[in-house]
Amino acid sequence: MAGLTAGGPNVDVSLLYEVNGWSMRAPGWVDRTIGFVGEYGLLLAIVLLMLWCWRGVRRSGGAVAVEGFAALVWAPLAAGIALLVNIPLREFVSRPRPFRQHDGLEVLVGGKTDYSFVSDHATLAMALGVGLFMVNRKLGFFGIGMALLEGFLRVYMGVHYPTDVIGGLALGTAVVLLFAPLAMALLTPLARAVAGSRRAGWLVRAKGAYEPARPVDLPRTPANRENDLAA
């Protein structure tokens, strides 16, 4: 903890200067664009990916739609839990932002007065990305890739050390995967109940989506009664 509080190991600081140094050599419009993307854009893109995945899940119908909807609900819940876990973690480590301890950094966003370890943005992005991967691997790979890019941009922007980002990525992943079995056990019956609701069923199942065929009750004929007795 002492290394983190004092500003981080030498490798951590040298990587910070190396990555952030690229922003000093970039045109102003590039830095402004990256500042917006790193602060808001990538998180919004992951949310849009989740909405696109939800659209596909609703069309799948049956148990696949129910389980997929439950997993999509778990992803933002896990992200929220990870952010809550980070509150006491930040206070315990009490690591100042890098621009408060090191001169010559190019800071692309202002107003950062809280502690640095771990990165909220990296935590949130990775939790959503891993949660998305649980539902759809192809979209999940894109989501996890965006989370990794988010972490890189936080260092580029001068607001986090590399280890802040690594810690956030690990925290987001851990919360999603460790609590997934319990979360799915609780959310799947809830999703099944929503799917059966006349008013809210559209959230889980699209109109005309495939549903498993239900067994048809045959008329009670003498032949059927004989078959029942034989069984």
Side-chain angles (χ1 to χ4, degrees), residues 26-216:
W29 67 269
V30 171
D31 283 348
R32 288 191 294 272
T33 301
I34 289 179
F36 176 82
V37 171
E39 192 73 9
Y40 309 105
L42 283 173
L43 292 177
L44 177 59
I46 297 175
V47 171
L48 292 177
L49 272 182
M50 295 186 69
L51 291 175
W52 183 260
C53 183
W54 171 60
R55 177 176 177 269
V57 163
R58 289 176 66 242
R59 292 181 173 182
S60 60
V64 175
V66 170
E67 294 174 2
F69 179 80
L72 284 174
V73 171
W74 168 235
L77 288 178
I81 293 172
L83 292 180
L84 290 176
V85 171
N86 194 26
I87 294 175
L89 180 60
R90 275 191 168 188
E91 294 297 325
F92 176 70
V93 177
S94 301
R95 185 185 199 182
R97 295 277 182 171
F99 54 81
R100 294 186 176 276
Q101 294 193 312
H102 301 282
D103 296 327
L105 293 175
E106 184 81 5
V107 183
L108 303 187
V109 291
K112 302 295 181 182
T113 58
D114 55 347
Y115 291 123
S116 185
F117 185 89
V118 298
S119 167
D120 276 342
H121 279 72
T123 301
L124 180 59
M126 184 56 84
L128 294 177
V130 173
L132 183 60
F133 183 81
M134 291 175 57
V135 186
N136 185 302
R137 290 195 175 185
K138 183 176 180 180
L139 294 179
F141 275 123
F142 280 107
I144 292 173
M146 289 181 183
L148 295 175
L149 179 59
E150 176 70 57
F152 174 81
L153 293 186
R154 302 307 288 176
V155 180
Y156 181 97
M157 294 159 62
V159 294
H160 281 294
Y161 294 97
T163 48
D164 298 338
V165 168
I166 294 172
L169 298 175
L171 177 60
T173 302
V175 170
V176 173
L177 297 182
L178 288 178
F179 295 102
L182 175 61
M184 292 300 293
L186 296 174
L187 291 173
T188 300
L190 178 60
R192 190 177 296 114
V194 173
S197 170
R198 291 185 177 180
R199 293 186 176 181
W202 63 271
L203 289 170
V204 181
R205 185 181 61 250
K207 186 177 180 181
Y210 166 77
E211 290 294 335
R214 297 181 179 179
V216 178

